[in-house]
Amino acid sequence: MKQILITGAGGFIGSHLAEFYAEQDKNNKIIVIDNLSRAFLFNQEISEKFLYNWKYLHNFENIQFIKEDLNNYKLLKTIFNENNFELVIHTAGQTAVDKSIKNPYIDFKNNLEASFKLLEAIRISKTNPKIIYCSTNKVYGNKINELPLKEVNLEYKLKNQGFEGITESFKIDQTQHTPYGTSKVGADLYFQEYGYTYGLKTGIFRMSCIYGPRQIGMEAQGWISHFIISALNNRLLKIYGSGKQTRDILYITDLINLFENFFKKDVKNEVFSIGGGIKNTISPMKLINILEELLNKSISYKFEGWREGDQKYFVSDISKAQEILSWNPQISVKEGLNLTINWYKQHHTLFR
Ligand SMILES: NC(=O)c1ccc[n+]([C@@H]2O[C@H](COP(=O)([O-])OP(=O)(O)OC[C@H]3O[C@@H](n4cnc5c(N)ncnc54)[C@H](O)[C@@H]3O)[C@@H](O)[C@H]2O)c1
């Protein structure tokens, strides 16, 4: 039995984690906190699809719900005074690059300020849980775009032989990050710092693209989900840039297994580059081809210019996580896409 706090559990990753720990042991006590702001962060009317994950978690009796903003520091202090968490997973945040460019203050408040308050509340509570922070590949900024690339089968690959992916030691300074990348790198450094200075047991996971069922994707964020929803609803897709931007994608259950390994192992204050790795790469154009095959229909799309801050290539070198956390992605791109598409087919009325 353990007590776990999950922030952002009304969202994609947080809700899967809450479900996992609720099912793992009926005696686990899971507290979830979310202000249900995803719809508003994307300037959309709150609708059934944005409440889906939050309502879904009400199927589990051992989950306790707090609908509140993480910037409510007083509440955070009370939560940590009244509970003795073994694990805190921080997934809450503003997740879209273009929204952060349009409104950097909202991005700062939800990503950096909220993360700082969470860390402070943990520090002064004198409890010492394992703490997982969902960081991002955007912390590496557009320095990544200086890597020499070649085009192979609708994807980019690195020209340099033997260099397959981006490691945790890739430069993060003197590069444009976008406001989103900046707020996330700020929080990433705070999670590291609270490990060094105050002994907090942090794990910082710089994630590439995570995908799977229950991701409420939109053009601005959650592109795999957005492509599937658009394809199923015969909507025209916009392809920004060349459409060959390459990402290593990771299926949600593989991410959960990774976090669970971090929780169980005697590892703390480490940074990990996380994604599906070199074996699980995909680009928008490649995804369109796969979807056309799996859905047996043609998909309409048109090209637009490049989006600000877009990395042409991001593939994580996951060897550190493989070694230290005894972890390997289990779900291939095709398997993961099949599982994901099936869920959207079953829930298509949410996305009409
Ligand atoms: N999904 C990915 O591919 C991916 C990749 C890299 C990093 N990340 C990071 O992982 C985390 C989770 O991503 P996701 O895809 O589940 O996003 P999501 O938008 O589905 O979930 C985030 C949740 O946080 C909540 N939230 C935002 N600000 C809040 C606040 N101030 N107080 C309380 N709740 C708040 C939102 O309402 C939402 O439910 C994010 O921090 C994101 O930056 C995600």
Side-chain angles (χ1 to χ4, degrees):
M1 179 213 164
K2 42 185 180 274
Q3 283 193 355
I4 301 161
L5 177 71
I6 301 173
T7 74
F12 165 53
I13 295 174
S15 73
H16 277 278
L17 287 159
E19 176 183 23
F20 171 78
Y21 283 109
E23 277 184 339
Q24 184 188 53
D25 182 341
K26 301 284 171 265
N27 294 314
N28 282 348
K29 177 183 169 191
I30 298 110
I31 298 186
V32 295
I33 178 164
D34 199 303
N35 62 359
L36 303 184
S37 61
R38 184 173 169 91
F40 299 109
L41 291 169
F42 287 91
N43 302 333
Q44 298 208 4
E45 288 287 300
I46 191 97
S47 63
E48 205 47 35
K49 66 181 176 189
F50 289 108
L51 297 174
Y52 185 85
N53 284 311
W54 191 249
K55 285 190 177 164
Y56 178 82
L57 293 183
H58 283 76
N59 290 318
F60 302 94
E61 284 178 1
N62 49 349
I63 298 183
Q64 191 183 317
F65 295 83
I66 304 176
K67 183 183 167 303
E68 187 52 73
D69 197 302
L70 277 179
N71 283 294
N72 184 341
Y73 184 51
K74 204 171 153 204
L75 174 75
L76 285 180
K77 283 195 288 186
T78 308
I79 294 174
F80 282 98
N81 275 338
E82 289 177 354
N83 295 282
N84 193 4
F85 296 110
E86 281 179 65
L87 175 63
V88 174
I89 310 180
H90 181 38
T91 80
Q94 188 299 116
T95 53
V97 169
D98 68 344
K99 298 296 163 193
S100 80
I101 294 170
K102 283 188 193 124
N103 197 331
Y105 178 63
I106 288 186
D107 180 75
F108 165 82
K109 203 166 153 36
N110 288 295
N111 289 348
L112 187 49
E113 192 177 339
S115 297
F116 177 77
K117 286 176 176 166
L118 178 69
L119 279 171
E120 259 303 271
I122 299 173
R123 181 181 75 85
I124 62 167
S125 73
K126 307 271 188 264
T127 60
N128 200 6
K130 274 284 183 87
I131 309 167
I132 289 171
Y133 174 56
C134 291
S135 188
T136 167
N137 58 7
K138 294 290 183 294
V139 302
Y140 302 112
N142 68 5
K143 250 305 169 258
I144 300 282
N145 286 338
E146 290 171 16
L147 295 169
L149 301 173
K150 57 186 176 189
E151 282 182 31
V152 184
N153 297 335
L154 300 177
E155 282 190 342
Y156 294 117
K157 298 228 178 285
L158 290 171
K159 264 191 186 156
N160 299 356
Q161 293 285 326
F163 177 53
E164 290 191 329
I166 312 302
T167 66
E168 298 76 10
S169 58
F170 197 87
K171 262 176 87 104
I172 60 168
D173 55 352
Q174 294 204 293
T175 177
Q176 186 187 6
H177 289 91
T178 74
Y180 171 72
T182 306
S183 62
K184 293 295 285 187
V185 81
D188 179 309
L189 292 174
Y190 266 115
F191 276 84
Q192 293 184 52
E193 191 53 40
Y194 271 55
Y196 289 121
T197 303
Y198 304 112
L200 266 55
K201 296 186 283 192
T202 55
I204 294 98
F205 294 86
R206 294 179 176 164
M207 307 184 317
S208 185
C209 288
I210 314 300
Y211 73 106
R214 308 213 309 267
Q215 185 171 30
I216 313 301
M218 277 164 283
E219 192 179 88
Q221 197 263 338
W223 67 280
I224 295 202
S225 157
H226 169 67
F227 272 45
I228 295 172
I229 294 166
S230 303
L232 288 173
N233 287 290
N234 302 314
R235 290 182 199 138
L236 179 73
L237 272 168
K238 285 185 194 161
I239 306 291
Y240 293 93
S242 64
K244 293 170 192 161
Q245 296 92 315
T246 303
R247 299 287 181 273
D248 59 325
I249 61 174
L250 185 69
Y251 190 68
I252 184 71
T253 52
D254 279 326
L255 184 75
I256 290 171
N257 292 336
L258 171 77
F259 286 176
E260 177 64 351
N261 286 9
F262 171 76
F263 171 69
K264 283 195 202 139
K265 286 198 173 255
D266 187 21
V267 175
K268 61 180 181 181
N269 203 15
E270 290 286 353
V271 178
F272 299 97
S273 249
I274 294 302
I278 197 75
K279 290 189 186 147
N280 294 298
T281 65
I282 198 168
S283 67
M285 291 313 297
K286 224 172 153 183
L287 178 57
I288 287 180
N289 282 358
I290 295 175
L291 286 175
E292 285 186 330
E293 187 193 317
L294 291 178
L295 297 174
N296 195 23
K297 60 155 75 163
S298 70
I299 291 169
S300 42
Y301 59 89
K302 67 168 185 170
F303 284 100
E304 300 274 342
W306 284 91
R307 283 199 282 202
E308 205 171 326
D310 202 358
Q311 292 161 332
K312 276 193 171 169
Y313 178 89
F314 195 94
V315 175
S316 327
D317 180 333
I318 54 174
S319 50
K320 180 176 172 186
Q322 286 173 310
E323 202 178 304
I324 298 186
L325 298 176
S326 318
W327 168 83
N328 250 318
Q330 302 295 317
I331 308 286
S332 70
V333 169
K334 269 212 168 158
E335 266 178 289
L337 286 176
N338 257 321
L339 291 166
T340 308
I341 289 168
N342 283 342
W343 183 86
Y344 286 97
K345 277 184 175 165
Q346 284 157 17
H347 296 82
H348 64 98
T349 49
L350 274 179
F351 300 98
R352 276 196 194 129

